[in-house]
């Protein structure tokens, strides 16, 4: 018997009646009709892809909410006080892009949240205040504007603030990706040895000097062979804090370089033991646009979250124009064409860029195109070819 025998599709009203009946049957069986046929707006023609949209969150709108939350949410009720930026196209899914979320977090003076750990990777990036605190795996890190702090997968950490002033930092997590992989967990049962027994502690005991990360990993190209680099769960960069002083020094050294016509001056935070990204799932960049600089259009399938550290400018993303200023955050979903322009004739614009590029690279999906000065589309990068077009 020929199992591939051709069938003649019903036509006219009979076809519509039978399609409606088929739709009802597949709905009852929790099935989706994956043959891509449009049927007069029928929901069965909907895409199976969950797509974010370009969006901008203005810090001047969010900041009053943070201040009010600081009054209404005491640390006794919650181990965190953060406001997540939710992409309007992804609701009720809590995510800024399909794989990451970003949040503004405020800590008031003298606050200290108890230690916890979780499966998602996270970073903290200082925006305001010089007394942000994060204890990571026994390294006490006080940080301020421009400092980037890692809280890696499955590593005990606690957050707080010193006595000086309210401090705001940005958090970025790969939790949406970890949720999809059904691998999210949180653990709050932190204990330390006290004699012969384990006792609950509200603050981690320091295990290394406060400047451990800078002391052992702060000199580019040089790392000690006599220490164990598998810190915490051993899945991330062992350098848990990247100081703005070091980042700014490199910016000064390279800002006069021609840079990329598509990405300007782009500096990546890396794992000093491998030269690769700080996490297997996310990477982070500082992007510098010189005064008046306008970049060429780029499209990549990595999703980006961009938080403005200083300066002002404009981005066109998917045909929509967004004007940004310090501490604003905007997202660039994978697959959208985008371009940036510094709006000042005298000052640099500096942006923290969070990307899920390492995940796409690991799976062999990473792809980046640009439009050159003639308007022609050129291949800039793939997972197997990291060369950038001239």
């Amino acid at each position: 018997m020929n199992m591939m025998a051709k069938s003649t599709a019903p036509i006219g009203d009979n076809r519509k009646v039978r399609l409606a009946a088929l739709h009802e049957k597949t709905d009852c069986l929790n099935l989706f009709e994956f043959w891509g046929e449009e049927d007069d707006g029928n929901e069965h023609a909907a895409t199976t892809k969950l797509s974010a949209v370009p969006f901008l969150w203005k810090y001047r709108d969010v900041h009053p909410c943070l201040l009010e939350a600081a009054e209404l949410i005491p640390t006794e009720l919650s181990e965190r006080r953060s406001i997540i930026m939710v992409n309007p196209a992804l609701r009720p899914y809590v995510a800024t892009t399909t794989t990451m979320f970003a949040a503004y977090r405020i800590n008031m003076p003298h606050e200290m949240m108890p230690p916890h750990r979780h499966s998602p990777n996270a970073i903290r990036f200082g925006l305001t205040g010089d007394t942000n605190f994060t204890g990571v795996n026994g390294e006490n890190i006080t940080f301020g504007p421009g400092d980037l702090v890692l809280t890696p997968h499955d590593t005990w950490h606690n957050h707080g603030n010193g006595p000086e002033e309210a401090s705001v930092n940005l958090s970025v997590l790969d939790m949406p990706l970890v949720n999809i992989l059904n691998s999210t967990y949180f653990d709050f049962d932190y204990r330390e040895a006290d004699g012969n027994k384990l006792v609950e502690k509200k603050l981690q005991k320091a295990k290394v000097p406060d400047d451990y990360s800078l002391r052992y990993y702060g000199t580019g190209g040089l790392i000690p062979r006599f220490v164990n680099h598998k810190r915490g769960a051993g899945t991330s960069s062992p350098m848990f804090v990247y100081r703005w002083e070091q980042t700014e020094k490199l910016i000064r050294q390279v800002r006069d370089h021609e840079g990329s016509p598509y990405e300007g001056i782009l500096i990546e935070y890396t794992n000093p033991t491998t030269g690769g990204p700080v996490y297997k799932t996310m990477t982070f960049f500082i992007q510098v646009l010189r005064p008046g600089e306008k970049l060429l259009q780029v499209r990549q399938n990595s999703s980006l979250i961009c938080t403005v550290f200083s300066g002002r400018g404009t981005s066109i993303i998917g045909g929509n124009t967004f004007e940004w200023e310090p501490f604003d955050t905007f997202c660039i979903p994978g697959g959208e064409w985008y371009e940036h322009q510094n709006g000042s004739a005298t000052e640099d614009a500096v942006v923290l860029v969070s990307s899920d590029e390492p995940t796409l690279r690991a799976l062999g999906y990473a792809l980046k195109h640009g439009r050159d000065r003639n308007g022609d589309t050129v291949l800039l990068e793939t997972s197997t070819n990291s060369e950038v077009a001239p």
Side-chain angles (χ1 to χ4, degrees):
M1 172 181 282
N2 182 5
M3 301 299 292
M4 300 298 291
K6 293 182 178 179
S7 62
T8 303
I11 58 175
D13 293 340
N14 184 42
R15 180 174 186 273
K16 291 183 178 180
V17 170
R18 292 186 61 181
L19 271 176
L22 178 59
H23 294 337
E24 184 176 355
K25 185 182 296 184
T26 56
D27 276 349
C28 290
L29 295 173
N30 291 308
L31 304 173
F32 181 83
E33 299 165 2
F34 191 41
W35 45 72
E37 180 177 348
E38 295 185 8
D39 187 34
D40 298 328
N42 190 289
E43 64 180 7
H44 291 79
T47 178
T48 56
K49 180 181 177 183
L50 186 64
S51 298
V53 294
F55 199 80
L56 170 70
W57 292 265
K58 300 295 293 183
Y59 182 75
R60 64 169 179 256
D61 296 331
V62 180
H63 189 242
C65 299
L66 289 171
L67 294 177
E68 188 167 7
E71 295 181 8
L72 299 175
I73 310 297
T75 56
E76 293 79 12
L77 294 181
S78 176
E79 78 283 352
R80 64 179 53 80
R81 190 191 295 112
S82 300
I83 297 179
I84 298 173
M85 287 162 270
V86 178
N87 194 289
L90 298 181
R91 284 184 177 276
Y93 187 54
V94 179
T96 309
T97 68
T98 51
T99 56
M100 302 178 290
F101 75 59
Y104 295 109
R105 178 189 185 113
I106 187 169
N107 289 325
M108 302 305 289
H110 299 288
E111 287 186 338
M112 190 63 65
M113 283 68 170
H116 65 284
R117 62 181 177 180
H118 42 68
S119 51
N121 294 296
I123 62 107
R124 314 283 177 235
F125 185 78
L127 297 178
T128 70
D130 293 318
T131 55
N132 278 292
F133 175 83
T134 294
V136 189
N137 197 48
E139 181 178 357
N140 292 332
I141 300 169
T142 299
F143 65 102
D147 294 335
L148 184 140
V149 179
L150 306 186
T151 52
H153 154 74
D154 206 32
T155 300
W156 288 104
H157 57 279
N158 54 289
H159 306 297
N161 196 8
E164 298 301 325
E165 57 185 330
S167 297
V168 177
N169 58 73
L170 178 86
S171 302
V172 180
L173 287 79
D174 57 9
M175 189 182 291
L177 174 63
V178 180
N179 286 342
I180 290 174
L181 297 174
N182 196 35
S183 299
T184 301
Y185 63 80
F186 282 75
D187 185 358
F188 300 93
D189 188 25
Y190 181 74
R191 298 171 184 271
E192 289 184 1
D194 185 1
N196 296 324
K197 60 181 180 179
L198 291 175
V199 296
E200 182 179 343
K201 293 287 186 178
K202 296 298 183 183
L203 187 66
Q204 294 186 74
K205 180 181 179 180
K207 301 176 183 177
V208 297
D210 292 357
D211 65 344
Y212 185 93
S213 287
L214 186 62
R215 180 183 299 188
Y216 290 98
Y217 301 107
T219 304
L222 301 171
I223 59 172
R225 288 287 298 270
F226 51 85
V227 297
N228 183 359
H229 303 305
K230 300 293 184 181
R231 305 182 68 196
T235 60
S236 72
S237 167
M239 186 171 178
F240 288 165
V241 57
Y242 295 74
R243 295 294 183 184
W244 177 247
E245 180 181 2
Q246 309 297 121
T247 308
E248 189 176 37
K249 179 180 178 181
L250 181 56
I251 291 173
R252 290 196 303 267
Q253 292 173 180
V254 302
R255 71 175 301 283
D256 291 334
H257 188 280
E258 180 182 0
S260 164
Y262 301 95
E263 296 176 311
I265 298 296
L266 196 65
I267 297 171
E268 185 172 12
Y269 296 92
T270 62
N271 181 333
T273 65
T274 66
V278 296
Y279 292 133
K280 295 181 178 180
T281 54
M282 297 185 292
T283 190
F284 303 90
F285 307 92
I286 284 293
Q287 186 169 29
V288 181
L289 284 75
R290 281 71 62 93
E293 186 170 21
K294 181 178 181 180
L295 301 177
L296 298 178
Q297 286 186 311
V298 182
R299 180 184 65 193
Q300 56 187 329
N301 54 2
S302 301
S303 293
L304 310 177
I305 299 174
C306 302
T307 300
V308 183
F309 185 55
S310 63
R312 289 170 169 77
T314 301
S315 295
I316 301 175
I317 310 168
N320 299 304
T321 300
F322 301 93
E323 295 184 358
W324 39 260
E325 58 190 349
F327 304 163
D328 289 352
T329 294
F330 58 94
C331 69
I332 305 174
E336 298 282 2
W337 284 101
Y338 65 92
E339 59 185 292
H340 303 311
Q341 181 171 6
N342 184 345
S344 171
T346 58
E347 298 180 352
D348 288 345
V350 179
V351 180
L352 174 74
V353 181
S354 308
S355 171
D356 61 4
E357 179 184 295
T359 301
L360 276 71
R361 284 192 172 282
L363 298 174
Y365 294 144
L367 191 62
K368 183 185 296 186
H369 289 88
R371 287 197 176 116
D372 63 20
R373 300 188 190 282
N374 297 320
D376 297 326
T377 299
V378 295
L379 178 64
L380 299 180
E381 195 173 333
T382 70
S383 292
T384 56
N385 177 14
S386 60
E387 293 184 1
V388 177

